[in-house]
Amino acid sequence: MKSLPVLVALLGLATSAIAADRGESWPRWRGPDASGAAENSAPPVSWSETENVRWKIEVPGAGSSTPILLDDRVYVATAIETNRVKEGSQEITNETEQADSRPSDSEARPEGGRRGGRSGGRGGRRGFGRGPAPNKYYQFAVIAYDRKTGSEVWRSVLTEQVPHESGHNTNTFASSSPITDGKHLFVSFGSRGVYALDLQGNKQWEKDLGTMSTRAQFGEGSSPALANNTLVVPFDHEGESFIVALDASSGDERWRQSRDEPTTWATPLITEYNGRYQVITNGTNRVRSYDLDSGDLIWECAGQAQNPIPSPVRYKDNVIVMTGYRGYAIYSIPLSSKGDISDSDQIAWIGDDAAPYVPSPLLYQGQLYFVKSNNGILVSRDAETGEVIIDENRINGIRSIYASPVAANGMVYLTGRDGTTVVIKHGKSMEIVATNELDSEIDASAAIVGNEIYLRGKHHLYCIAKD
Protein backbone atom coordinates (compact mmCIF):
# COMPACT_ATOMS: atom_id res chain seq x y z
CA MET A 1 0.00 0.00 0.00
CA LYS A 2 0.95 3.65 -0.03
CA SER A 3 3.71 5.07 2.09
CA LEU A 4 2.36 7.32 4.80
CA PRO A 5 4.97 9.90 5.81
CA VAL A 6 3.22 12.59 3.77
CA LEU A 7 -0.22 11.29 4.62
CA VAL A 8 0.49 11.24 8.33
CA ALA A 9 1.60 14.85 8.21
CA LEU A 10 -1.41 15.95 6.23
CA LEU A 11 -4.14 13.56 7.20
CA GLY A 12 -3.02 11.53 10.21
CA LEU A 13 -4.33 8.28 8.84
CA ALA A 14 -2.00 5.89 10.57
CA THR A 15 1.75 5.67 11.14
CA SER A 16 4.76 5.82 8.87
CA ALA A 17 5.09 2.07 9.27
CA ILE A 18 3.44 1.57 5.89
CA ALA A 19 6.56 1.86 3.86
CA ALA A 20 5.58 0.94 0.33
CA ASP A 21 5.27 3.68 -2.26
CA ARG A 22 2.05 5.67 -2.69
CA GLY A 23 0.70 3.33 -5.32
CA GLU A 24 1.21 0.12 -3.34
CA SER A 25 -1.36 0.09 -0.56
CA TRP A 26 -5.04 0.47 0.15
CA PRO A 27 -4.82 0.52 3.95
CA ARG A 28 -8.46 1.12 4.79
CA TRP A 29 -11.94 2.06 3.63
CA ARG A 30 -11.68 4.73 0.87
CA GLY A 31 -7.97 4.23 0.40
CA PRO A 32 -4.73 5.89 1.43
CA ASP A 33 -5.97 9.48 1.69
CA ALA A 34 -9.66 8.78 2.38
CA SER A 35 -10.70 10.12 -1.02
CA GLY A 36 -11.30 6.96 -3.07
CA ALA A 37 -8.43 7.88 -5.39
CA ALA A 38 -5.21 5.99 -6.12
CA GLU A 39 -2.41 8.23 -7.33
CA ASN A 40 0.39 6.68 -9.42
CA SER A 41 -1.82 3.72 -10.36
CA ALA A 42 -3.04 2.63 -13.78
CA PRO A 43 -5.42 -0.34 -13.62
CA PRO A 44 -7.19 -1.63 -16.74
CA VAL A 45 -10.22 0.24 -18.04
CA SER A 46 -11.76 -2.83 -19.66
CA TRP A 47 -12.33 -6.39 -18.44
CA SER A 48 -14.76 -9.30 -18.40
CA GLU A 49 -14.90 -12.80 -16.97
CA THR A 50 -12.43 -13.82 -19.70
CA GLU A 51 -10.33 -10.67 -20.11
CA ASN A 52 -7.90 -8.95 -17.74
CA VAL A 53 -8.79 -11.13 -14.74
CA ARG A 54 -5.54 -12.20 -13.10
CA TRP A 55 -7.42 -14.34 -10.62
CA LYS A 56 -10.89 -14.96 -9.27
CA ILE A 57 -11.43 -16.78 -5.98
CA GLU A 58 -14.42 -17.80 -3.94
CA VAL A 59 -14.53 -16.11 -0.52
CA PRO A 60 -16.20 -18.14 2.23
CA GLY A 61 -19.13 -16.57 4.01
CA ALA A 62 -20.46 -13.13 3.24
CA GLY A 63 -19.21 -9.61 3.65
CA SER A 64 -19.68 -6.33 1.90
CA SER A 65 -16.68 -4.48 3.26
CA THR A 66 -13.83 -3.27 1.09
CA PRO A 67 -10.74 -5.51 0.94
CA ILE A 68 -7.59 -3.76 2.10
CA LEU A 69 -4.08 -4.36 0.77
CA LEU A 70 -0.60 -4.09 2.23
CA ASP A 71 2.51 -5.23 0.40
CA ASP A 72 1.81 -8.73 -0.99
CA ARG A 73 -1.36 -9.44 1.00
CA VAL A 74 -5.08 -8.83 0.52
CA TYR A 75 -7.15 -8.81 3.72
CA VAL A 76 -10.87 -9.51 3.76
CA ALA A 77 -13.40 -9.49 6.61
CA THR A 78 -16.20 -12.04 6.39
CA ALA A 79 -18.97 -13.72 8.38
CA ILE A 80 -19.26 -17.47 7.75
CA GLU A 81 -22.50 -19.22 8.64
CA THR A 82 -22.01 -22.52 10.45
CA ASN A 83 -24.36 -25.47 10.92
CA ARG A 84 -24.43 -24.97 14.68
CA VAL A 85 -27.88 -23.86 15.83
CA LYS A 86 -28.44 -21.75 18.91
CA GLU A 87 -29.66 -23.89 21.78
CA GLY A 88 -33.39 -23.70 22.27
CA SER A 89 -34.14 -22.28 18.81
CA GLN A 90 -35.71 -23.92 15.80
CA GLU A 91 -33.84 -24.10 12.54
CA ILE A 92 -35.34 -21.85 9.87
CA THR A 93 -36.75 -23.91 7.00
CA ASN A 94 -35.60 -23.65 3.42
CA GLU A 95 -38.99 -22.23 2.46
CA THR A 96 -38.40 -19.36 4.85
CA GLU A 97 -34.83 -18.85 3.75
CA GLN A 98 -35.24 -18.99 0.00
CA ALA A 99 -37.57 -16.02 -0.32
CA ASP A 100 -35.75 -12.97 -1.60
CA SER A 101 -36.69 -9.39 -2.33
CA ARG A 102 -34.97 -6.59 -4.14
CA PRO A 103 -35.17 -3.42 -2.08
CA SER A 104 -36.32 -0.12 -3.48
CA ASP A 105 -34.01 2.86 -3.12
CA SER A 106 -36.01 3.93 -0.07
CA GLU A 107 -35.12 0.62 1.56
CA ALA A 108 -31.44 0.67 0.67
CA ARG A 109 -29.17 -0.86 3.23
CA PRO A 110 -26.75 1.15 5.32
CA GLU A 111 -23.04 1.40 4.57
CA GLY A 112 -20.12 0.51 4.34
CA GLY A 113 -20.21 0.89 0.59
CA ARG A 114 -19.42 0.49 1.92
CA ARG A 115 -22.44 -3.77 -0.22
CA GLY A 116 -23.19 -7.45 0.17
CA GLY A 117 -25.64 -8.89 -2.38
CA ARG A 118 -29.41 -8.77 -2.59
CA SER A 119 -29.92 -11.55 -0.08
CA GLY A 120 -26.98 -10.42 2.03
CA GLY A 121 -25.27 -13.74 1.38
CA ARG A 122 -27.12 -15.28 4.30
CA GLY A 123 -29.47 -17.51 2.35
CA GLY A 124 -32.65 -15.91 3.55
CA ARG A 125 -35.07 -13.08 3.25
CA ARG A 126 -34.66 -10.54 5.97
CA GLY A 127 -36.54 -7.86 4.05
CA PHE A 128 -36.46 -4.32 5.37
CA GLY A 129 -35.48 -5.40 8.86
CA ARG A 130 -38.57 -7.53 9.40
CA GLY A 131 -37.04 -11.01 9.02
CA PRO A 132 -36.39 -13.30 11.98
CA ALA A 133 -33.12 -12.97 13.82
CA PRO A 134 -30.57 -15.65 12.84
CA ASN A 135 -30.49 -18.82 14.90
CA LYS A 136 -27.15 -20.14 13.67
CA TYR A 137 -23.66 -19.32 14.81
CA TYR A 138 -21.39 -17.34 12.48
CA GLN A 139 -17.63 -17.31 12.41
CA PHE A 140 -16.43 -13.70 12.27
CA ALA A 141 -13.09 -13.85 10.52
CA VAL A 142 -10.31 -12.07 8.67
CA ILE A 143 -8.72 -13.92 5.76
CA ALA A 144 -5.36 -13.04 4.18
CA TYR A 145 -4.80 -13.83 0.50
CA ASP A 146 -1.66 -13.79 -1.60
CA ARG A 147 -1.85 -10.75 -3.86
CA LYS A 148 -0.15 -12.47 -6.80
CA THR A 149 -2.12 -15.71 -6.86
CA GLY A 150 -5.24 -15.24 -4.74
CA SER A 151 -4.37 -18.27 -2.63
CA GLU A 152 -5.36 -18.20 1.04
CA VAL A 153 -2.39 -17.53 3.34
CA TRP A 154 -4.15 -17.61 6.69
CA ARG A 155 -7.58 -17.39 8.24
CA SER A 156 -8.23 -16.02 11.72
CA VAL A 157 -11.64 -16.72 13.27
CA LEU A 158 -11.99 -14.04 15.93
CA THR A 159 -15.29 -15.07 17.47
CA GLU A 160 -18.31 -17.32 16.90
CA GLN A 161 -21.65 -15.77 17.76
CA VAL A 162 -25.32 -15.73 16.80
CA PRO A 163 -26.21 -12.24 15.50
CA HIS A 164 -28.99 -10.63 17.53
CA GLU A 165 -30.60 -8.77 14.60
CA SER A 166 -31.63 -9.88 11.14
CA GLY A 167 -30.20 -6.89 9.32
CA HIS A 168 -31.43 -5.33 6.10
CA ASN A 169 -31.79 -7.85 3.27
CA THR A 170 -28.88 -6.24 1.43
CA ASN A 171 -26.58 -5.84 4.42
CA THR A 172 -24.14 -8.43 5.74
CA PHE A 173 -22.68 -9.21 9.14
CA ALA A 174 -19.25 -8.10 7.84
CA SER A 175 -19.86 -4.65 6.40
CA SER A 176 -17.07 -2.84 8.25
CA SER A 177 -13.75 -2.61 6.43
CA PRO A 178 -10.49 -3.52 8.18
CA ILE A 179 -7.73 -0.95 8.62
CA THR A 180 -3.96 -1.32 9.03
CA ASP A 181 -1.14 0.77 10.46
CA GLY A 182 1.41 -1.29 8.55
CA LYS A 183 2.17 -3.56 11.52
CA HIS A 184 -1.27 -4.63 12.67
CA LEU A 185 -4.79 -5.14 11.39
CA PHE A 186 -7.87 -3.77 13.12
CA VAL A 187 -11.42 -4.81 12.39
CA SER A 188 -14.77 -3.98 13.96
CA PHE A 189 -17.61 -6.47 13.88
CA GLY A 190 -19.69 -4.00 15.89
CA SER A 191 -21.81 -5.89 18.40
CA ARG A 192 -19.48 -8.88 17.97
CA GLY A 193 -16.45 -6.89 19.11
CA VAL A 194 -13.44 -4.90 17.92
CA TYR A 195 -10.20 -6.79 17.29
CA ALA A 196 -6.50 -6.23 16.67
CA LEU A 197 -4.32 -8.80 14.87
CA ASP A 198 -0.72 -8.99 13.81
CA LEU A 199 0.05 -9.53 10.14
CA GLN A 200 0.24 -13.30 10.69
CA GLY A 201 -3.37 -13.39 11.88
CA ASN A 202 -2.69 -13.72 15.62
CA LYS A 203 -5.19 -11.93 17.81
CA GLN A 204 -3.54 -9.19 19.89
CA TRP A 205 -6.55 -7.85 21.79
CA GLU A 206 -10.32 -7.61 21.66
CA LYS A 207 -12.85 -5.09 22.97
CA ASP A 208 -16.55 -5.60 23.66
CA LEU A 209 -18.42 -2.31 23.22
CA GLY A 210 -21.89 -3.72 23.81
CA THR A 211 -24.84 -4.56 21.59
CA MET A 212 -26.26 -2.25 18.95
CA SER A 213 -29.96 -1.83 18.32
CA THR A 214 -30.04 -0.45 14.80
CA ARG A 215 -32.84 1.43 13.09
CA ALA A 216 -35.41 -1.04 11.71
CA GLN A 217 -32.77 -3.76 12.28
CA PHE A 218 -30.91 -2.50 9.22
CA GLY A 219 -27.69 -3.85 10.73
CA GLU A 220 -24.26 -2.36 11.30
CA GLY A 221 -21.59 -1.05 8.99
CA SER A 222 -19.41 1.93 9.92
CA SER A 223 -15.67 1.25 9.88
CA PRO A 224 -13.12 2.37 12.48
CA ALA A 225 -10.60 5.14 11.80
CA LEU A 226 -6.96 5.23 12.89
CA ALA A 227 -4.30 7.84 13.64
CA ASN A 228 -1.46 8.34 16.12
CA ASN A 229 -1.87 4.86 17.61
CA THR A 230 -5.51 5.67 18.36
CA LEU A 231 -8.39 3.62 16.96
CA VAL A 232 -11.69 5.53 16.82
CA VAL A 233 -14.90 3.48 16.73
CA PRO A 234 -18.36 5.05 16.21
CA PHE A 235 -21.30 3.41 17.99
CA ASP A 236 -24.45 5.26 16.95
CA HIS A 237 -27.65 3.25 17.33
CA GLU A 238 -31.15 3.39 18.80
CA GLY A 239 -29.76 3.02 22.31
CA GLU A 240 -27.14 5.13 24.07
CA SER A 241 -24.93 6.31 21.21
CA PHE A 242 -21.26 7.17 21.66
CA ILE A 243 -17.90 7.44 19.96
CA VAL A 244 -14.87 5.86 21.60
CA ALA A 245 -11.10 6.11 21.16
CA LEU A 246 -9.02 3.02 21.93
CA ASP A 247 -5.28 2.63 22.39
CA ALA A 248 -4.29 0.74 19.23
CA SER A 249 -1.56 -1.17 21.09
CA SER A 250 -3.69 -2.48 23.96
CA GLY A 251 -7.36 -1.81 23.23
CA ASP A 252 -7.61 0.27 26.40
CA GLU A 253 -10.14 3.08 26.30
CA ARG A 254 -8.66 6.57 25.97
CA TRP A 255 -11.87 8.58 25.87
CA ARG A 256 -15.57 8.23 25.16
CA GLN A 257 -18.14 10.85 24.18
CA SER A 258 -21.90 10.43 24.29
CA ARG A 259 -23.72 11.36 21.09
CA ASP A 260 -27.26 12.59 20.60
CA GLU A 261 -27.68 10.59 17.41
CA PRO A 262 -29.82 7.72 16.11
CA THR A 263 -28.25 4.94 14.04
CA THR A 264 -25.46 6.17 11.80
CA TRP A 265 -23.36 4.17 9.35
CA ALA A 266 -20.79 6.79 8.29
CA THR A 267 -17.09 6.13 8.89
CA PRO A 268 -15.20 8.96 10.63
CA LEU A 269 -12.47 10.99 8.95
CA ILE A 270 -9.35 11.77 10.98
CA THR A 271 -7.34 14.67 9.64
CA GLU A 272 -4.74 17.14 10.93
CA TYR A 273 -5.24 20.89 10.87
CA ASN A 274 -2.79 23.36 12.44
CA GLY A 275 -1.11 20.66 14.49
CA ARG A 276 -4.36 19.28 15.90
CA TYR A 277 -6.00 16.05 14.79
CA GLN A 278 -9.74 16.24 14.27
CA VAL A 279 -12.15 13.28 14.24
CA ILE A 280 -15.02 14.28 11.97
CA THR A 281 -18.25 12.29 12.21
CA ASN A 282 -21.51 12.76 10.40
CA GLY A 283 -24.93 12.29 11.99
CA THR A 284 -28.62 12.85 11.39
CA ASN A 285 -28.68 15.68 13.90
CA ARG A 286 -25.23 17.18 13.47
CA VAL A 287 -21.80 16.88 11.94
CA ARG A 288 -19.25 17.01 14.73
CA SER A 289 -15.49 17.35 15.06
CA TYR A 290 -13.70 15.93 18.10
CA ASP A 291 -10.14 16.39 19.27
CA LEU A 292 -8.33 13.08 18.71
CA ASP A 293 -6.23 13.40 21.88
CA SER A 294 -8.93 14.42 24.37
CA GLY A 295 -12.30 13.77 22.73
CA ASP A 296 -13.32 17.40 23.29
CA LEU A 297 -15.87 18.79 20.85
CA ILE A 298 -14.22 21.29 18.49
CA TRP A 299 -17.15 22.28 16.26
CA GLU A 300 -20.58 21.07 15.19
CA CYS A 301 -23.06 21.85 12.45
CA ALA A 302 -26.72 20.92 11.93
CA GLY A 303 -28.44 20.51 8.58
CA GLN A 304 -27.88 16.94 7.42
CA ALA A 305 -30.51 14.47 6.21
CA GLN A 306 -31.44 11.11 7.75
CA ASN A 307 -29.45 7.87 7.88
CA PRO A 308 -25.94 9.28 7.25
CA ILE A 309 -23.77 6.75 5.43
CA PRO A 310 -21.27 8.56 3.13
CA SER A 311 -17.90 9.27 4.68
CA PRO A 312 -16.49 12.82 4.92
CA VAL A 313 -13.69 13.90 2.58
CA ARG A 314 -11.15 16.67 2.97
CA TYR A 315 -10.30 19.22 0.31
CA LYS A 316 -7.61 21.76 1.22
CA ASP A 317 -8.68 23.21 4.59
CA ASN A 318 -12.32 22.20 4.38
CA VAL A 319 -14.17 18.98 5.09
CA ILE A 320 -17.11 17.99 2.88
CA VAL A 321 -19.96 15.92 4.30
CA MET A 322 -23.11 14.70 2.55
CA THR A 323 -26.28 12.67 3.07
CA GLY A 324 -28.98 11.61 0.62
CA TYR A 325 -31.92 9.88 2.32
CA ARG A 326 -35.26 11.71 2.58
CA GLY A 327 -33.55 14.89 1.54
CA TYR A 328 -30.19 15.94 0.17
CA ALA A 329 -27.48 17.84 2.00
CA ILE A 330 -23.87 18.65 1.12
CA TYR A 331 -21.87 20.94 3.40
CA SER A 332 -18.31 22.20 2.97
CA ILE A 333 -17.06 23.22 6.40
CA PRO A 334 -13.75 24.95 7.27
CA LEU A 335 -11.53 22.95 9.61
CA SER A 336 -10.82 26.23 11.40
CA SER A 337 -14.41 26.27 12.72
CA LYS A 338 -15.16 26.55 16.45
CA GLY A 339 -18.35 25.85 18.36
CA ASP A 340 -21.80 25.62 16.76
CA ILE A 341 -21.64 26.95 13.20
CA SER A 342 -25.15 25.89 12.17
CA ASP A 343 -26.77 28.37 9.74
CA SER A 344 -23.70 30.59 9.89
CA ASP A 345 -21.73 32.29 7.14
CA GLN A 346 -18.70 30.20 8.15
CA ILE A 347 -19.99 27.34 5.99
CA ALA A 348 -18.11 27.51 2.68
CA TRP A 349 -20.91 26.16 0.49
CA ILE A 350 -24.05 24.05 0.63
CA GLY A 351 -25.76 21.81 -1.95
CA ASP A 352 -29.26 20.45 -1.54
CA ASP A 353 -30.33 19.17 -4.96
CA ALA A 354 -28.65 15.73 -5.05
CA ALA A 355 -26.46 13.64 -2.75
CA PRO A 356 -25.68 9.92 -2.27
CA TYR A 357 -27.44 7.65 0.20
CA VAL A 358 -25.19 4.56 0.52
CA PRO A 359 -22.09 5.32 -1.63
CA SER A 360 -19.46 7.75 -0.41
CA PRO A 361 -18.20 10.50 -2.70
CA LEU A 362 -15.00 10.33 -4.69
CA LEU A 363 -12.64 13.31 -4.47
CA TYR A 364 -10.31 13.36 -7.46
CA GLN A 365 -8.10 16.23 -8.57
CA GLY A 366 -10.31 18.87 -7.03
CA GLN A 367 -13.55 17.38 -8.31
CA LEU A 368 -16.25 15.54 -6.36
CA TYR A 369 -18.02 12.61 -8.03
CA PHE A 370 -21.11 11.02 -6.48
CA VAL A 371 -24.47 9.51 -7.38
CA LYS A 372 -27.96 10.70 -6.55
CA SER A 373 -29.38 8.54 -3.77
CA ASN A 374 -28.53 4.96 -4.85
CA ASN A 375 -29.45 5.51 -8.48
CA GLY A 376 -27.24 5.34 -11.55
CA ILE A 377 -27.27 9.12 -11.87
CA LEU A 378 -23.90 10.87 -11.73
CA VAL A 379 -23.28 14.33 -10.31
CA SER A 380 -19.97 16.16 -10.09
CA ARG A 381 -19.13 19.37 -8.26
CA ASP A 382 -16.08 21.55 -7.89
CA ALA A 383 -14.77 20.67 -4.43
CA GLU A 384 -13.66 24.22 -3.65
CA THR A 385 -16.66 26.23 -4.81
CA GLY A 386 -19.47 23.67 -4.96
CA GLU A 387 -20.19 24.61 -8.56
CA VAL A 388 -22.02 21.84 -10.42
CA ILE A 389 -19.83 20.45 -13.21
CA ILE A 390 -21.84 17.38 -14.27
CA ASP A 391 -25.52 17.74 -13.45
CA GLU A 392 -27.53 14.53 -12.85
CA ASN A 393 -26.37 12.55 -15.87
CA ARG A 394 -27.72 9.00 -16.26
CA ILE A 395 -24.98 6.33 -16.22
CA ASN A 396 -25.97 3.93 -19.00
CA GLY A 397 -25.62 0.36 -17.78
CA ILE A 398 -26.06 1.10 -14.07
CA ARG A 399 -29.47 1.12 -12.44
CA SER A 400 -28.64 0.85 -8.74
CA ILE A 401 -25.37 1.38 -6.91
CA TYR A 402 -24.00 0.87 -3.40
CA ALA A 403 -20.26 0.75 -4.13
CA SER A 404 -18.43 4.05 -3.84
CA PRO A 405 -16.66 5.38 -6.95
CA VAL A 406 -12.88 5.16 -7.22
CA ALA A 407 -10.35 6.81 -9.53
CA ALA A 408 -6.87 6.36 -10.98
CA ASN A 409 -4.88 7.53 -13.98
CA GLY A 410 -7.48 10.05 -15.14
CA MET A 411 -10.33 7.54 -14.98
CA VAL A 412 -13.35 7.21 -12.68
CA TYR A 413 -14.78 3.74 -11.96
CA LEU A 414 -18.46 3.31 -11.04
CA THR A 415 -19.67 -0.19 -10.13
CA GLY A 416 -23.35 -1.09 -10.06
CA ARG A 417 -25.00 -3.71 -7.90
CA ASP A 418 -25.31 -6.15 -10.81
CA GLY A 419 -21.53 -6.24 -11.33
CA THR A 420 -21.35 -3.73 -14.19
CA THR A 421 -18.52 -1.20 -13.94
CA VAL A 422 -18.72 1.91 -16.09
CA VAL A 423 -15.42 3.74 -16.59
CA ILE A 424 -15.55 7.44 -17.44
CA LYS A 425 -12.83 9.94 -18.20
CA HIS A 426 -12.17 12.47 -15.46
CA GLY A 427 -13.30 15.89 -16.57
CA LYS A 428 -16.16 18.32 -17.03
CA SER A 429 -18.40 16.00 -19.04
CA MET A 430 -19.38 12.36 -18.68
CA GLU A 431 -17.37 10.59 -21.37
CA ILE A 432 -17.78 6.83 -21.08
CA VAL A 433 -14.60 4.91 -21.88
CA ALA A 434 -15.73 1.35 -21.16
CA THR A 435 -18.57 -0.74 -19.76
CA ASN A 436 -17.46 -3.96 -18.06
CA GLU A 437 -19.60 -6.84 -16.82
CA LEU A 438 -18.81 -9.56 -14.30
CA ASP A 439 -20.92 -12.55 -13.23
CA SER A 440 -21.21 -11.32 -9.66
CA GLU A 441 -23.37 -8.96 -7.67
CA ILE A 442 -21.12 -6.24 -6.24
CA ASP A 443 -21.91 -3.92 -3.35
CA ALA A 444 -18.41 -3.58 -1.89
CA SER A 445 -16.32 -0.60 -2.96
CA ALA A 446 -13.26 -1.32 -5.08
CA ALA A 447 -9.62 -1.07 -4.00
CA ILE A 448 -6.89 0.04 -6.40
CA VAL A 449 -3.27 -0.90 -5.79
CA GLY A 450 -0.50 -0.43 -8.32
CA ASN A 451 -1.96 -1.35 -11.70
CA GLU A 452 -4.60 -3.65 -10.25
CA ILE A 453 -8.18 -3.16 -9.15
CA TYR A 454 -9.77 -5.50 -6.62
CA LEU A 455 -13.52 -6.10 -6.76
CA ARG A 456 -15.36 -8.03 -4.08
CA GLY A 457 -18.57 -9.66 -5.24
CA LYS A 458 -21.27 -11.48 -3.36
CA HIS A 459 -19.27 -14.72 -3.37
CA HIS A 460 -16.00 -13.94 -5.18
CA LEU A 461 -12.99 -11.66 -5.07
CA TYR A 462 -11.43 -10.52 -8.35
CA CYS A 463 -7.99 -9.19 -9.14
CA ILE A 464 -8.35 -7.17 -12.33
CA ALA A 465 -5.03 -6.63 -14.11
CA LYS A 466 -3.74 -6.49 -17.66
CA ASP A 467 -3.24 -9.91 -19.24
Side-chain angles (χ1 to χ4, degrees):
M1 301 199 208
K2 293 184 179 179
S3 75
L4 290 184
V6 174
L7 295 178
V8 168
L10 295 178
L11 298 170
L13 296 178
T15 72
S16 58
I18 300 177
D21 71 43
R22 238 183 99 88
E24 290 302 314
S25 72
W26 195 271
R28 56 118 182 219
W29 162 245
R30 300 311 286 147
D33 58 5
S35 67
E39 302 294 341
N40 306 322
S41 294
V45 296
S46 63
W47 61 82
S48 69
E49 289 285 343
T50 59
E51 176 196 7
N52 285 338
V53 175
R54 177 167 294 167
W55 48 258
K56 173 186 178 181
I57 59 167
E58 185 172 355
V59 178
S64 47
S65 62
T66 294
I68 65 168
L69 291 97
L70 178 67
D71 299 328
D72 59 351
R73 295 286 183 265
V74 185
Y75 301 99
V76 174
T78 189
I80 306 168
E81 184 180 24
T82 73
N83 293 323
R84 186 157 66 106
V85 178
K86 182 179 180 181
E87 185 176 352
S89 66
Q90 293 183 351
E91 187 167 356
I92 300 172
T93 66
N94 288 336
E95 290 181 359
T96 302
E97 291 188 342
Q98 287 174 357
D100 187 26
S101 63
R102 177 178 296 192
S104 66
D105 287 324
S106 65
E107 297 180 352
R109 75 121 179 97
E111 215 225 355
R114 53 148 321 89
R115 309 187 277 184
R118 295 184 182 90
S119 65
R122 301 180 220 175
R125 178 178 181 176
R126 294 169 282 108
F128 202 33
R130 290 191 293 264
N135 64 351
K136 290 183 179 180
Y137 281 84
Y138 282 73
Q139 294 181 337
F140 294 87
V142 175
I143 303 177
Y145 295 100
D146 184 275
R147 179 177 160 189
K148 293 181 180 179
T149 66
S151 59
E152 183 174 321
V153 179
W154 55 257
R155 182 185 307 193
S156 180
V157 176
L158 300 170
T159 185
E160 291 192 21
Q161 297 186 31
V162 179
H164 65 290
E165 290 183 339
S166 58
H168 192 279
N169 66 345
T170 62
N171 201 355
T172 73
F173 296 131
S175 292
S176 175
S177 301
I179 188 168
T180 180
D181 62 1
K183 295 180 180 179
H184 303 89
L185 300 172
F186 305 90
V187 62
S188 173
F189 287 110
S191 297
R192 272 68 65 180
V194 181
Y195 300 87
L197 303 81
D198 64 23
L199 298 183
Q200 289 73 48
N202 302 304
K203 187 192 301 183
Q204 303 299 292
W205 55 258
E206 60 183 275
K207 182 77 172 180
D208 182 0
L209 295 177
T211 301
M212 277 191 177
S213 176
T214 62
R215 179 176 183 258
Q217 294 192 41
F218 277 167
E220 307 170 22
S222 56
S223 302
L226 177 68
N228 292 354
N229 202 42
T230 303
L231 190 73
V232 177
V233 184
F235 212 84
D236 288 347
H237 64 133
E238 302 307 293
E240 296 294 325
S241 295
F242 60 89
I243 185 170
V244 63
L246 306 176
D247 185 298
S249 298
S250 64
D252 294 339
E253 193 167 309
R254 290 185 167 176
W255 54 260
R256 179 185 295 224
Q257 288 284 8
S258 297
R259 285 169 55 81
D260 177 23
E261 291 292 346
T263 310
T264 304
W265 296 271
T267 296
L269 171 71
I270 303 179
T271 191
E272 183 271 336
Y273 177 75
N274 281 353
R276 189 183 196 183
Y277 286 85
Q278 299 188 28
V279 181
I280 298 158
T281 62
N282 208 346
T284 295
N285 296 328
R286 289 174 179 263
V287 181
R288 296 174 179 87
S289 173
Y290 301 93
D291 183 279
L292 177 64
D293 290 334
S294 65
D296 293 342
L297 185 67
I298 300 173
W299 56 261
E300 58 184 330
C301 182
Q304 293 296 292
Q306 294 183 30
N307 290 14
I309 299 173
S311 300
V313 292
R314 176 177 177 170
Y315 183 70
K316 295 185 176 179
D317 290 338
N318 283 20
V319 64
I320 301 167
V321 295
M322 54 184 71
T323 52
Y325 177 68
R326 295 188 177 177
Y328 303 115
I330 307 176
Y331 279 59
S332 179
I333 300 171
L335 290 166
S336 59
S337 300
K338 302 291 183 184
D340 189 347
I341 64 167
S342 304
D343 301 318
S344 76
D345 58 7
Q346 294 183 56
I347 301 168
W349 58 264
I350 298 174
D352 59 7
D353 51 351
Y357 178 21
V358 171
S360 291
L362 163 70
L363 174 61
Y364 188 56
Q365 298 181 6
Q367 200 164 321
L368 290 164
Y369 292 88
F370 54 90
V371 296
K372 184 176 183 179
S373 187
N374 296 327
N375 302 312
I377 298 174
L378 180 68
V379 180
S380 182
R381 286 181 178 265
D382 184 285
E384 185 163 4
T385 67
E387 176 188 359
V388 175
I389 298 173
I390 300 174
D391 190 7
E392 297 192 27
N393 207 319
R394 171 66 63 180
I395 308 167
N396 292 331
I398 293 180
R399 173 183 171 272
S400 180
I401 181 170
Y402 282 0
S404 304
V406 293
N409 197 33
M411 299 294 169
V412 175
Y413 298 76
L414 302 125
T415 301
R417 300 197 64 223
D418 66 353
T420 299
T421 298
V422 174
V423 183
I424 67 172
K425 184 177 292 186
H426 164 62
K428 299 187 181 300
S429 62
M430 196 177 79
E431 180 184 341
I432 295 178
V433 176
T435 300
N436 309 303
E437 297 182 358
L438 294 175
D439 297 336
S440 185
E441 298 170 9
I442 298 176
D443 287 343
S445 301
I448 298 176
V449 177
N451 296 331
E452 303 154 2
I453 184 167
Y454 293 81
L455 294 169
R456 181 182 187 174
K458 184 175 179 180
H459 299 296
H460 296 88
L461 177 65
Y462 296 80
C463 174
I464 306 296
K466 293 180 181 178
D467 291 334

